[in-house]
Amino acid sequence: MTNNQPAPDGVMRLINGYWNTGVIGAAATHRVFTHLENGAGTAAQVAARAEISERGAQSLLDGLVSVELVLLEDGHYRNTPEASAFLVEGKPASLAGFAKLKLQHTGSLTDLPEVVRIGGPLAGGETEVADNPHWEGIVPAIAAVSVPAADAGVEALGIADAGEISILDVGGGSGIYSSIWLKANPAARAVQLDWEPINVIARRLVGEQGVGDRFTTLDGDFHTTDFGTGLYDIAVYSHIAHQENAQSNIEVFTRLRRALKPGGALVVADYVVDDDRAAPAFPLLFALEMLLKSKDGGTWRRSDYRDWLIKAGFEDVSFHAAPPATMVIAR
């Protein structure tokens, strides 16, 4: 093959991309990244600590080297900086639980050709219910997805020096925003609105961070629950807009605007695409998940968020990087 001809390697890696999910999810299941972080450096050592076969450990390590999450140097394996930061259990931004969760979703991709043909999910989309037993596994698993935006919000909103502020987190799930922001500001208080079983989990997780005494919950559905008027300095609407249509988002933004005190800020974090839909890469790919699972959702453009927030009564809208998400602040 001459230098002027393309090679199939890149296309082959993409076609076999489901193996990325497989090897990372399996490694997370057996805590391989955590064992590497704690000093295991060979397949035999990983196998012993993980209580798996040495052949299996070697195959996982080979795969992790292939996807560039583990390095092999002088016969010993170690995590890359990315794996150390985001796949070791117990770290604040660990996505190990999320990797295990996504491994369970791979089978649904076989529906994608038909979903693309008809323009939506095969059975009307996922409809979540409050008493679904899977919340106990899902809520902690997806918490780390919001850590970059929550961390960025501390600086962008000046939370540490804001004094006695009140925060409303709509659909807050694990309470990750409250955990991070209340730790940054010992005078702040937070209220989370979510379904009762999720709030039970959130109170436990926030309590484990030592700030549970300033965290309260309100049981309800954000589509119908009254947010109140002029009660909060900051409101959060994180990773929800992608599952809602334009009308729903405008309606919720309008009620959140009413719930804020004068000068208050609404924080919207989500996978936002550029107006020409040419980037960023992950939000563009995430649009297919919404097509597969959601009747009305999508990955919305910056101009969509700006238009919706202006219609809801906000005057100043700014965008802040929180990869792979974008944080939108409206006042």
Side-chain angles (χ1 to χ4, degrees):
M1 188 172 293
T2 68
N3 291 336
N4 295 327
Q5 292 179 312
D9 303 55
V11 173
M12 283 290 291
R13 285 181 65 89
L14 291 172
I15 291 173
N16 288 281
Y18 65 100
W19 280 103
N20 296 347
T21 304
V23 69
I24 298 169
T29 298
H30 293 296
R31 306 181 68 235
V32 170
F33 301 104
T34 303
H35 296 314
L36 290 171
E37 195 78 0
N38 292 334
T42 67
Q45 291 170 344
V46 169
R49 297 194 189 189
E51 298 182 343
I52 60 177
S53 68
E54 186 171 339
R55 182 187 181 195
Q58 185 64 66
S59 296
L60 282 179
L61 290 167
D62 289 345
L64 294 172
V65 170
S66 172
V67 299
E68 300 180 352
L69 287 173
V70 166
L71 299 172
L72 175 61
E73 296 175 345
D74 299 325
H76 283 75
Y77 296 93
R78 63 178 176 86
N79 290 323
T80 64
E82 290 79 9
S84 179
F86 300 115
L87 288 166
V88 174
E89 294 179 338
K91 293 194 176 183
S94 176
L95 292 165
F98 189 63
K100 291 184 281 186
L101 176 68
K102 299 307 289 187
L103 184 58
Q104 301 170 21
H105 295 174
T106 53
S108 64
L109 289 177
T110 57
D111 293 335
L112 193 56
E114 181 63 10
V115 166
V116 169
R117 188 187 71 81
I118 66 175
L122 299 186
E126 293 184 351
T127 302
E128 297 289 9
V129 294
D131 59 354
N132 196 322
H134 72 189
W135 292 129
E136 187 63 43
I138 289 179
V139 170
I142 63 176
V145 173
S146 294
V147 168
D151 284 340
V154 172
E155 181 176 353
L157 297 166
I159 286 177
D161 301 318
E164 297 181 4
I165 56 172
S166 56
I167 301 162
L168 171 66
D169 190 352
V170 174
S174 66
I176 188 67
Y177 282 87
S178 296
S179 292
I180 291 174
W181 291 0
L182 295 181
K183 288 174 75 173
N185 181 344
R189 306 189 70 87
V191 177
Q192 172 168 303
L193 169 63
D194 216 319
W195 283 327
E196 189 271 340
I198 296 177
N199 282 336
V200 171
I201 299 169
R203 288 195 296 270
R204 184 185 78 238
L205 295 176
V206 175
E208 290 173 355
Q209 297 302 310
V211 292
D213 59 322
R214 292 180 284 124
F215 176 75
T216 56
T217 57
L218 177 62
D219 298 337
D221 186 321
F222 72 86
H223 294 98
T224 56
T225 302
D226 183 8
F227 301 151
T229 302
L231 300 177
Y232 304 99
D233 298 285
I234 301 172
V236 184
Y237 188 74
S238 179
H239 291 289
I240 300 174
H242 64 246
Q243 68 189 28
E244 304 290 318
N245 60 28
Q247 181 180 354
S248 175
N249 282 325
I250 293 170
E251 193 276 332
V252 174
F253 292 163
T254 301
R255 289 192 287 124
L256 287 170
R257 176 71 183 85
R258 190 180 308 126
L260 289 169
K261 297 176 182 178
L266 170 61
V267 175
V268 181
D270 219 311
Y271 303 127
V272 181
V273 297
D274 294 346
D275 289 346
D276 62 2
R277 303 196 73 87
F282 183 80
L284 288 173
L285 194 61
F286 185 76
L288 285 168
E289 180 159 350
M290 288 297 94
L291 184 69
L292 186 69
K293 297 180 178 179
S294 170
K295 184 177 180 181
D296 297 317
T299 45
W300 310 121
R301 301 168 300 173
R302 287 188 173 216
S303 58
D304 293 322
Y305 283 96
R306 184 179 290 106
D307 291 346
W308 296 340
L309 290 161
I310 295 298
K311 288 179 180 178
F314 293 93
E315 298 177 355
D316 180 39
V317 179
S318 59
F319 296 86
H320 308 259
T326 295
M327 182 175 61
V328 189
I329 299 179
R331 298 181 183 272

